[in-house]
């Protein structure tokens, strides 16, 4: 007998059974995939004023180093593109694992970091 794992969205609290696509990022040696719901996959990127600043697609937090965000390649039906998330947008999720030194690179208020 095999056990089936029910998953929702890896980036929010969407329950199992929610329509999802796939978000890809790179692990140490291989590409890793995570389920992502439509709401998380279609977020809008804020446009930071500084060229060397980057914004989280989930909450809009602006950082001064791309390494403070985790980049995911998203495929969901006919939608395809890239999203960047900070560790705050999915606590204990894939962005938390890959994000490096978020507080050190935060440009917004220190309360958000």
């Amino acid at each position: 007998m095999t056990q089936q794992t029910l998953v929702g969205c890896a980036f929010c609290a969407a329950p199992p059974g929610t329509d999802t696509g796939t978000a890809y990022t790179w692990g140490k040696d291989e590409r890793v995939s995570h389920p992502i719901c439509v709401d998380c996959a279609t977020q809008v990127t804020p446009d930071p004023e500084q060229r060397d600043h980057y914004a989280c697609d989930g909450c809009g937090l602006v950082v001064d180093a791309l390494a403070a965000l985790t980049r995911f390649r998203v495929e969901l039906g006919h939608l395809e593109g890239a999203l960047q998330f900070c560790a705050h947008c999915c606590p204990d999720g894939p962005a938390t694992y890959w994000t490096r030194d978020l507080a050190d690179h935060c440009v917004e208020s220190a309360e958000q970091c």
Side-chain angles (χ1 to χ4, degrees), residues 12-78:
C12 71
T18 300
D19 287 337
T20 59
T22 306
Y24 298 98
T25 192
W26 283 94
K28 188 171 183 176
D29 296 317
E30 61 187 34
R31 191 164 89 155
V32 181
S33 64
H34 307 280
I36 187 167
C37 70
V38 174
D39 289 339
C40 289
T42 57
Q43 297 188 48
V44 176
T45 305
D47 187 16
E49 293 179 15
Q50 298 290 328
R51 256 190 13 200
D52 60 342
H53 289 179
Y54 305 90
C56 172
D57 287 313
C59 67
L61 178 71
V62 178
V63 295
D64 66 0
L66 194 54
L69 301 175
T70 302
R71 187 178 194 95
F72 295 91
R73 182 80 187 154
V74 176
E75 296 173 3
L76 178 61
H78 68 283

Side-chain angles (χ1 to χ4, degrees), residues 93-111:
T96 301
Y97 181 78
W98 294 111
T99 298
R100 302 291 184 258
D101 304 320
L102 180 63
D104 292 342
H105 298 288
C106 187
V107 172
E108 297 291 321
S109 70
E111 295 171 7

